[in-house]
């Protein structure tokens, strides 16, 4: 599969002066076409920051983000907006659906779908529903990149990236979802989390 | 989709939407009115002066004239298209008998005139050149306005019977600011009465090119021709005609622009509150790829939907208000024929307001660019962090109580938030106080100092009689012997050749006497005291190129003297070009004399004026109050109306904006309110807290607004008044209304609105809100 989205030695800092710190500290990541990837890590590890950097919503302070071969740092805000509108989708944790669009309109059908704790504010039944939709979207060829702290959600992915202090600490390959049961996949993710102290 | 979003949004914020549309409508109404009235005034004035063929240059002259010399001068000037000399027969006021009333109390120089031959026509109310038959009289429209005369009235002038056949508009002397009024009679009637009054000549010129007025005037003065009286040019005629209505238009525009400013503040506050509310949604829209221009378009569309009906309704309403405001203009100047242009200019003004509003909204929405989608999605709107952590201990017992303390602290902790309300209250106070101050100033006796007249109680003008100095001395002696007189002075005016800075010679009318008794307001320097000093009116100084400290050469009895310019003063009468000095006048003929006096009991000035007027019928004796009232009456009334309108507008603005603001604040603070109620604060406590906040903001706002009105407002108002020769202008404010009553009224309006707006705090569901 071709790489659709990549981050190369990405640096993102916050704060001023003596309080400035790198939330992303030279992290590199590749997302392939049609891949389902979860990002996990302790609070403050840079999960959401990495997600927003890869989607072009946040400008990075170092390194580069390439989407379908284009360096996002060279694009103007309006071009990034056009790119997100045509080729990317988002699922939000807060109920920020635009009231005048239905669910599918909100996520549309792009090349990459990003989600930041998409099931964080939902009960388990609604969370399962959302995850099933995301799996369907992924099966149809859209790459999915989710930030989550929930092992069961992460287990839906084919690959899990564990972040710590702005860098990738470990990668866990789970493979296609048909290969193992959801419980086994969840157990493997939980074990990795324990080993990493998350 | 936009339509749905806009409809929902307007429904959710009905009050804010209504207030916005209302402000836009009021702004559009006022600006539209100003534009339309301006067009009507300009057109009516142009038409009047065109039909009347107003002279480009008028030189009034008392005394003998050399007509052939004047004709020769006119013939020799290529710029002169027309020349004529008309007569103005000065008649004492008591000789005009309208039933059982006379014009004895009038400060105007009333006189008889026949119709001009070539130009300077007196027009009837249909705009035609009036042609009175024998026994017919056309009365200046000024006396129709004040109710002195009606068509068909029987009038006796110098014992001769006339019937009022109609009224005339005089393009030279229409305005109350012009001190003369011409009654039109037939040539036969004039000839019969000519020997019964004193003749003053109107030496008039029409030019091929009005731009050559300056050169003609300079040539006339250089030729040493008849100049025993005021000299007035076309631009001053136009300005005097336009003053009353012009001031009203300026006030309308001023208030309209201020209301627009307040509308923009209101919009800004509502918009920023909405953006804060929608912060996450805006982040989401940016995240899914909507451009800033697309997101902005949605918000802009809402304000377009509010602004367009506001603009159109304001413009439409202006038609209803236009006619009453045009009544004075139509009476004095007639129809202008601007029936197409006026509505168009009015619409242009209204559209300008709409475009300004939309442009401003667009500017405010520019902050969308700075909103980080990522941060908006994660954290929502950035919260203002209070700089000072709370050190308030409610249990400690506080002066003014916990509610007031909490209220004040909230304001201090969120100063930028209250900035909008503060700005509105400053603007409201400004709107209310400036026109009020202007009214009290022009209506005050001290305003006479801008007329070049010292603040006395009585004034006797002696002119156009034989032995002016002798007559003036008679009156002065009577006043000096009168136990009710506090002090008095005689000033005599003579004309002297003077040399300006560029070496050119001209004639200058100088009032001679002791100017320290009733001094005028000097914008620079002081009154002349020594025999080698002179004070100049601002316009004279400009003409001569003189400043305080310069030396002006003046010829007295054929000898050139150097006079030091001691001061500059304002003078809006006599064309604004006069001077004052203290030296003895030598042999130059006296043009006029003025006897001024102050009384031990100024309240008797009217009574004393009447007594002296009947004792000395050759003089025009009036109380200063009467003089100012007659000269500036229409202007004062117009400004009084404008000040009342402004006060009403200011109070409505203050109340409405405060109501809107407090309601939004309550919605924003619902979590804090729920927490306070959970702690045990009652609804009445919450209202008291909001009242405390408003009291603090209103207190600062009205104070700042009043101060601004008395400083910046004074400067702004001084600008148009300076065009008339008033160099420096200061408000003679009534301290009670300017500093106490009006600011208090604005503050009370804000507090009442606060109580109404804060009542919503009691309807917040405590547990639901805390759970959220």
């Amino acid at each position: 599969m071709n790489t659709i989205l990549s981050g190369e030695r990405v640096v993102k800092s916050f704060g001023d002066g003596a309080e400035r710190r790198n939330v992303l500290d030279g992290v590199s990541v590749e997302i392939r076409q049609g891949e389902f990837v979860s990002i996990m890590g302790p609070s403050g590890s840079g999960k959401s920051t990495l997600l927003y950097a890869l989607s072009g919503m946040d400008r990075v302070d170092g390194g580069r983000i390439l989407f379908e071969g284009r360096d996002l740092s060279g694009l103007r805000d309006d071009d990034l907006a056009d790119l997100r509108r045509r080729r990317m989708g988002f699922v939000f944790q807060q109920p920020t659906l635009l009231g005048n669009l239905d669910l599918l309109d909100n996520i549309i059908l792009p090349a990459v779908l990003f989600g930041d704790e998409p099931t964080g504010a939902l009960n388990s039944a609604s969370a399962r529903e959302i995850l099933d939709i995301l799996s369907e979207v992924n099966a149809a060829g859209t790459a999915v990149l989710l930030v989550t702290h929930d092992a069961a959600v992460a287990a839906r992915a084919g690959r899990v990236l564990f972040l710590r202090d702005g860098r990738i600490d470990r990668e866990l390959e789970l493979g296609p979802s048909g290969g193992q049961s959801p419980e086994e996949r969840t157990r493997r993710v939980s074990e990795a989390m324990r080993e990493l102290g998350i | 989709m936009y339509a749905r979003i806009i409809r929902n949004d307007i429904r959710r914020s009905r009050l804010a939407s209504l207030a916005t549309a209302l402000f836009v409508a009021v702004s559009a109404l006022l600006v539209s009115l100003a534009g339309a009235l301006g067009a009507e005034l300009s057109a009516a004035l142009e038409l009047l002066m065109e039909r009347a063929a107003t002279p480009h240059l008028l030189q009034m002259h008392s005394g003998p004239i050399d007509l052939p010399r004047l004709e020769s001068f006119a013939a020799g000037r290529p710029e002169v298209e027309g020349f004529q000399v008309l007569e103005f027969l000065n008649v004492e006021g008591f000789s005009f008998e309208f039933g059982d009333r006379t014009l004895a109390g009038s400060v105007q120089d009333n006189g008889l005139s026949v119709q001009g031959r070539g130009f300077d026509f007196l027009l009837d109310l249909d705009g035609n050149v009036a042609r009175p038959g024998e026994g017919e009289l056309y009365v200046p429209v000024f006396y129709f306005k004040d109710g002195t005369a009606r068509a068909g009235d029987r009038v006796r002038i110098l014992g001769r019977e006339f019937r009022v056949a109609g009224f005339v508009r005089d393009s030279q002397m229409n305005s109350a600011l012009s001190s003369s009024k011409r009654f039109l009679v037939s040539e036969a009637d004039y000839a019969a009465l000519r020997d019964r009054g004193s003749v003053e000549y109107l030496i008039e010129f029409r030019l091929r090119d009005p731009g050559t007025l300056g050169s003609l005037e300079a040539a006339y003065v250089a030729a040493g021709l008849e100049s025993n009286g005021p000299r007035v040019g076309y631009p001053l005629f136009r300005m005097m005609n336009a003053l009353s209505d012009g001031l009203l238009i300026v006030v309308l525009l001023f208030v309209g622009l201020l209301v627009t400013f307040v509308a923009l503040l209101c919009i800004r506050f509502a918009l920023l509150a909405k953006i804060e509310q929608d912060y996450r949604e805006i982040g989401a829209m940016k995240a899914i790829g909507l451009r800033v221009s697309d997101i902005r378009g949605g918000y802009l569309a809402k304000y377009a939907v509010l602004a367009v009906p506001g603009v159109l309704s304001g413009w439409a309403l202006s038609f209803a208000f236009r006619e009453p405001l045009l009544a004075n203009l139509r009476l004095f100047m007639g129809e202008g024929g601007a029936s197409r242009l006026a509505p168009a200019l009015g619409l242009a003004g209204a559209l300008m307001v709409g475009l300004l509003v939309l442009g401003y909204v667009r500017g405010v929405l520019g902050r969308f660019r700075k909103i980080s989608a990522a941060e908006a999605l994660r954290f929502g709107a950035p919260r203002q962090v209070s700089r000072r952590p709370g050190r308030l201990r409610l249990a400690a017992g506080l002066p003014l109580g916990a509610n007031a303390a909490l209220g004040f602290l909230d304001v201090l902790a969120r100063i930028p938030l209250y900035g909008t309300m503060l700005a509105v209250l400053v603007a409201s106070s400004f709107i209310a106080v400036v026109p009020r101050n202007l009214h009290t100033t022009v209506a005050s006796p001290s305003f006479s100092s801008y007329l070049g007249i010292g603040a006395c109680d009585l004034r006797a003008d002696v002119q156009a009689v034989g032995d002016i100095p002798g007559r003036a001395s008679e009156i002065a002696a009577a006043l000096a012997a009168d136990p009710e007189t506090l002090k008095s002075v005689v000033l005599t005016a003579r004309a002297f050749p003077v040399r300006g800075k560029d070496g050119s010679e001209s004639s200058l009318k100088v009032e001679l006497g002791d100017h320290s008794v009733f001094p005028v307001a000097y914008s620079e320097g002081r009154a002349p005291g020594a025999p080698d000093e002179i004070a100049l009116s601002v316009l004279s100084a400009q003409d001569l190129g003189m400043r305080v400290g310069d030396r002006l050469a003046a010829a007295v009895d054929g000898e050139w003297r150097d006079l030091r310019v001691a001061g500059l003063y304002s003078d809006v009468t006599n064309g604004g070009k006069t001077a004052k000095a203290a030296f003895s006048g030598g042999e130059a003929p006296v043009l006029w004399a003025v006897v001024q006096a102050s009384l031990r009991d100024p309240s008797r000035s009217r009574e004393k004026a009447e007594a002296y007027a009947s004792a000395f019928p050759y003089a025009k004796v009036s109380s200063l109050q009467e003089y100012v009232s007659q000269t500036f009456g229409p202007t004062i009334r117009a400004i009084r109306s404008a000040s009342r309108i402004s006060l009403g507008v200011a109070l409505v603005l203050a109340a409405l904006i405060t109501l809107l603001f407090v309601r939004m604040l309550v919605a924003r603070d619902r979590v804090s309110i729920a927490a306070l109620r959970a702690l045990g604060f009652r609804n009445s406590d919450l209202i008291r807290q909001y009242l405390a906040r408003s009291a603090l903001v209103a207190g600062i706002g009205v104070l700042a607004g009043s101060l601004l009105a008395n400083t910046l407002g004074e400067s702004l108002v001084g600008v148009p008044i300076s065009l008339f020769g008033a160099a420096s202008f200061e408000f003679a404010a009534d301290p009670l209304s300017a500093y106490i009553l009006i600011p208090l009224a604005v503050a009370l309006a804000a507090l009442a609105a606060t109580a109404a707006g804060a009542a919503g705090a009691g309807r917040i569901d405590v547990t639901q809100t805390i759970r959220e």
Side-chain angles (χ1 to χ4, degrees):
Chain A
M1 279 188 286
N2 295 331
T3 298
I4 191 168
L5 175 64
S6 65
E8 296 174 1
R9 291 180 297 282
V10 176
V11 176
K12 176 68 183 174
S13 310
F14 290 101
D16 295 312
E19 291 178 6
R20 192 167 181 80
R21 67 179 194 91
N22 290 346
V23 175
L24 296 178
D25 197 14
V27 60
S28 295
V29 63
E30 277 187 17
I31 310 295
R32 293 180 281 276
Q33 241 171 347
E35 198 178 6
F36 195 143
V37 177
S38 292
I39 303 175
M40 302 189 81
S43 294
S45 59
K47 306 187 293 296
S48 297
T49 307
L50 177 60
L51 190 82
Y52 293 127
L54 289 173
S55 65
M57 270 203 271
D58 252 347
R59 299 274 186 183
V60 299
D61 298 311
R64 60 181 191 165
I65 310 290
L66 297 171
F67 178 75
E68 292 179 331
R70 290 169 79 185
D71 185 348
L72 299 191
S73 62
L75 299 181
R76 296 172 313 156
D77 286 350
D78 281 350
D79 296 331
L80 284 171
D82 288 346
L83 191 66
R84 284 199 298 277
R85 189 173 68 249
R86 288 182 296 109
R87 304 294 291 148
M88 299 178 183
F90 291 86
V91 184
F92 309 109
Q93 178 186 27
Q94 298 293 337
T96 44
L97 294 179
L98 299 172
N100 300 296
L101 302 179
D102 63 24
L103 178 63
L104 273 180
D105 284 346
N106 269 276
I107 58 174
I108 318 225
L109 292 170
V112 181
L113 183 62
F114 297 90
D116 188 1
E117 307 274 9
T119 59
L122 301 175
N123 60 38
S124 49
S126 302
R128 252 194 317 273
E129 208 177 318
I130 289 293
L131 291 171
D132 288 344
I133 291 172
L134 292 179
S135 295
E136 275 177 44
V137 164
N138 174 243
T142 301
V144 176
L145 186 58
L146 288 188
V147 164
T148 183
H149 65 273
D150 188 328
V153 171
R156 292 269 188 151
R159 180 160 61 109
V160 181
L161 305 176
F162 293 93
L163 239 64
R164 185 186 295 277
D165 296 334
R167 287 170 178 264
I168 294 181
D169 203 4
R170 183 193 286 194
E171 277 191 38
L172 175 64
E173 287 281 350
L174 291 175
S177 55
Q180 293 163 318
S181 67
E183 294 76 17
E184 175 58 20
R185 294 166 79 86
T186 304
R187 187 199 64 75
R188 288 178 63 192
V189 172
S190 299
E191 195 179 303
M193 286 169 70
R194 260 196 313 276
E195 284 169 15
L196 291 167
I198 297 169
Chain B
M1 189 179 90
Y2 272 168
R4 208 176 347 154
I5 292 172
I6 291 167
R7 202 171 40 240
N8 289 340
D9 194 54
I10 291 176
R11 268 199 207 124
R12 274 198 296 269
S13 55
R14 280 198 183 94
L15 181 63
S17 303
L18 184 63
T20 300
L22 191 65
F23 285 133
V24 171
V26 169
S27 305
L29 166 65
L30 292 170
V31 174
S32 180
L33 269 177
L37 290 181
E40 293 276 6
L41 175 62
S42 176
L45 189 52
E46 283 307 312
L47 193 57
L48 171 70
M49 295 180 81
E50 188 188 307
R51 281 191 182 155
T54 311
H56 292 108
L57 180 64
L58 162 73
Q59 172 71 63
M60 295 181 79
H61 177 76
S62 299
I65 64 167
D66 183 345
L67 188 55
R69 189 173 66 144
L70 285 166
E71 286 170 340
S72 168
F73 170 82
R77 299 298 306 181
E79 64 266 52
V80 172
E81 184 185 57
F83 166 77
Q84 67 184 13
V85 177
L86 294 182
E87 291 187 1
F88 177 76
L89 185 71
N90 273 290
V91 177
E92 291 94 350
F94 62 79
S95 297
F96 285 87
E97 297 170 67
F98 293 84
D100 54 1
R101 287 181 305 159
T102 71
L103 296 183
S106 171
V107 300
Q108 302 286 334
D109 290 332
N110 296 293
L112 303 181
S113 189
V114 297
Q115 194 59 273
R117 288 185 191 86
F119 53 92
D120 186 21
F121 302 119
L122 301 183
L123 305 174
D124 64 21
L125 296 188
D126 294 325
N128 301 316
V129 177
R131 305 267 182 219
E134 199 169 332
E136 290 184 336
L137 177 72
Y138 278 83
V139 176
V141 69
F142 179 83
Y143 291 115
F144 172 82
K145 172 83 176 170
D146 75 354
T148 301
R150 285 291 176 267
D153 282 354
R154 309 299 303 185
V155 181
R156 287 170 66 85
I157 303 175
L158 293 168
R160 194 176 175 91
E161 285 271 340
F162 290 90
R163 185 183 63 81
V164 176
F167 298 88
V168 282
R169 296 180 181 124
D170 184 342
S171 67
Q172 288 187 44
M173 302 179 189
N174 247 4
S175 166
L177 280 179
S178 163
S179 55
S180 305
K181 293 292 171 282
R182 289 191 282 186
F183 288 74
L184 187 65
V185 295
S186 68
E187 299 210 5
D189 287 318
Y190 184 86
L193 293 173
R194 192 178 186 278
D195 294 335
R196 307 274 307 276
S198 66
V199 173
E200 204 169 352
Y201 295 98
L202 308 179
I203 303 166
E204 302 178 340
F205 298 85
R206 283 278 293 182
L207 299 172
R208 292 181 214 288
D209 172 11
T212 56
L213 173 61
S215 66
L216 174 68
E217 197 172 350
Y220 186 90
V221 168
L225 297 169
E226 285 76 349
S227 60
N228 187 16
R231 188 169 57 246
V232 186
Y234 195 89
L236 190 57
F237 284 134
R238 184 193 275 130
M239 206 183 288
M240 291 201 308
N241 277 317
L243 179 65
S244 288
D245 297 291
L247 269 179
L248 176 65
I249 290 167
V250 165
V251 170
L252 282 173
L253 193 60
F254 169 71
V255 177
L257 290 175
L258 276 174
V259 172
T260 306
F261 172 69
V262 173
L264 294 180
L265 285 178
C266 174
I267 286 169
R268 178 186 174 82
F269 182 73
L271 199 46
L272 291 180
K274 187 80 176 72
I275 290 172
E276 187 181 303
Q277 202 179 319
D278 293 350
Y279 215 79
R280 277 210 166 88
E281 279 77 17
I282 294 168
M285 283 193 273
K286 285 188 101 172
I288 66 170
L290 286 181
R291 288 185 171 208
V292 166
S293 53
D294 298 327
I295 304 170
R296 192 168 52 197
Y299 288 82
L300 202 53
K302 176 196 165 183
Y303 283 93
V305 163
L306 293 175
V308 167
V311 161
L312 292 177
S313 58
W315 178 62
L317 266 175
S318 72
F319 285 91
F321 287 90
R322 203 176 291 173
E323 287 311 311
L325 292 172
L326 280 173
N328 188 68
L329 191 156
R330 290 235 164 87
L331 178 64
F332 279 88
M333 280 180 263
E335 293 282 346
S339 52
R340 278 195 202 127
L341 186 60
L345 263 183
L347 181 61
L351 284 176
M352 187 193 78
V353 168
L355 286 173
L356 189 61
V357 166
L358 291 178
Y360 181 73
V361 169
R362 199 169 183 282
V364 172
L365 294 175
R367 62 188 51 228
F368 282 173
R369 289 207 180 273
K370 294 184 194 149
I371 293 178
S372 160
E375 286 179 26
L377 285 167
R378 294 177 69 187
F379 307 118
R383 287 278 164 199
Q384 263 183 321
V385 176
S386 172
R387 289 182 182 216
R388 292 181 299 173
R391 286 187 192 153
L392 190 64
R393 298 201 57 202
L394 298 179
L398 300 155
L400 297 178
N403 291 320
L406 285 170
F408 294 157
L409 276 178
D410 189 76
V411 174
L412 296 175
R414 299 194 285 176
I415 290 173
L417 179 66
Y418 288 93
T420 302
M421 183 178 164
L422 180 68
V424 168
L425 293 176
V426 170
S428 299
S429 300
F430 190 85
I431 291 170
V433 171
V434 170
R436 172 69 182 153
N437 280 353
L438 180 59
H439 175 249
T440 51
T441 303
V442 296
S444 79
S446 64
F447 192 62
S448 63
S449 64
Y450 296 104
L451 305 177
I453 306 168
C456 54
D457 296 318
L458 279 186
R459 179 189 165 90
D461 288 85
V462 183
Q463 61 179 333
V465 295
D467 189 21
I468 294 174
R471 300 285 200 173
S473 298
E474 277 174 22
I475 301 173
L479 279 165
D482 189 334
E484 290 193 68
T485 302
L486 195 56
K487 53 182 177 178
S488 64
V489 72
V490 179
L491 303 173
T492 53
R494 301 173 201 253
F496 299 95
V498 293
R499 252 189 231 130
K501 211 155 206 178
D502 60 359
S504 60
E505 270 187 38
S506 57
S507 176
L508 183 65
K509 294 181 202 47
V510 185
E511 227 172 33
L512 302 168
D514 185 354
H515 297 285
S516 64
V517 181
F518 298 109
V520 297
Y522 286 86
S523 58
E524 280 181 57
R526 53 168 175 78
D532 66 341
E533 290 182 334
I534 190 167
L536 299 174
S537 70
V538 167
L539 293 184
S540 291
Q542 275 172 14
D543 266 4
L544 296 166
M546 289 283 153
R547 292 159 57 163
V548 171
D550 287 348
R551 310 216 61 102
L552 174 70
V556 181
D557 292 342
E559 267 187 42
W560 285 95
R561 288 190 202 178
D562 256 2
L563 302 173
R564 190 185 153 279
V565 178
L568 301 183
Y569 64 93
S570 307
D571 187 354
V572 302
T573 62
N574 290 308
K577 296 183 185 176
T578 58
K580 296 182 189 296
F583 59 83
S584 62
E587 300 302 318
V590 173
L591 307 176
W592 71 77
V594 177
V595 186
Q596 295 176 306
S598 61
L599 303 175
R600 294 186 195 284
D601 181 5
S603 65
R604 282 181 45 76
S605 57
R606 218 172 267 235
E607 221 175 293
K608 295 298 285 186
E610 281 171 15
Y612 276 91
S614 57
F616 302 98
Y618 49 80
K620 198 183 303 298
V621 186
S622 57
S623 69
L624 193 65
Q625 212 170 356
E626 185 66 28
Y627 182 89
V628 170
S629 163
Q630 288 195 24
T631 308
F632 280 94
T635 307
I636 292 172
R637 282 189 288 277
I639 294 173
R640 185 174 58 211
S641 301
S643 79
R644 284 176 181 164
I645 293 170
S646 298
L647 179 61
V649 167
L651 291 177
V652 168
L653 272 179
L656 201 52
I657 297 288
T658 303
L659 178 64
L660 194 66
F661 179 83
V662 170
R663 282 181 63 156
M664 286 184 185
L665 205 57
V666 165
R668 194 188 171 114
D669 293 346
R670 65 188 184 286
V671 174
S672 309
I673 291 170
L676 284 169
R677 287 184 57 203
L679 284 174
F681 282 87
R682 294 167 297 178
N683 294 346
S684 55
D685 292 319
L686 296 172
I687 291 175
R688 284 196 195 99
Q689 286 178 29
Y690 279 92
L691 282 172
R693 299 180 199 189
S694 287
L696 180 59
V697 176
I700 297 170
V702 300
L703 185 65
S706 302
L707 285 173
L708 209 58
N710 285 291
T711 51
L712 177 65
E714 187 178 84
S715 306
L716 285 174
V717 168
V719 168
I721 292 182
S722 70
L723 296 174
F724 285 82
S728 69
F729 176 78
E730 282 176 18
F731 279 141
D734 167 29
L736 182 64
S737 55
Y739 291 110
I740 296 174
L741 293 179
I742 291 177
L744 193 60
V746 173
L748 285 174
L751 288 174
T754 299
R763 291 192 282 273
I764 290 173
D765 186 322
V766 175
T767 50
Q768 178 69 19
T769 306
I770 288 176
R771 209 176 284 131
E772 278 173 18

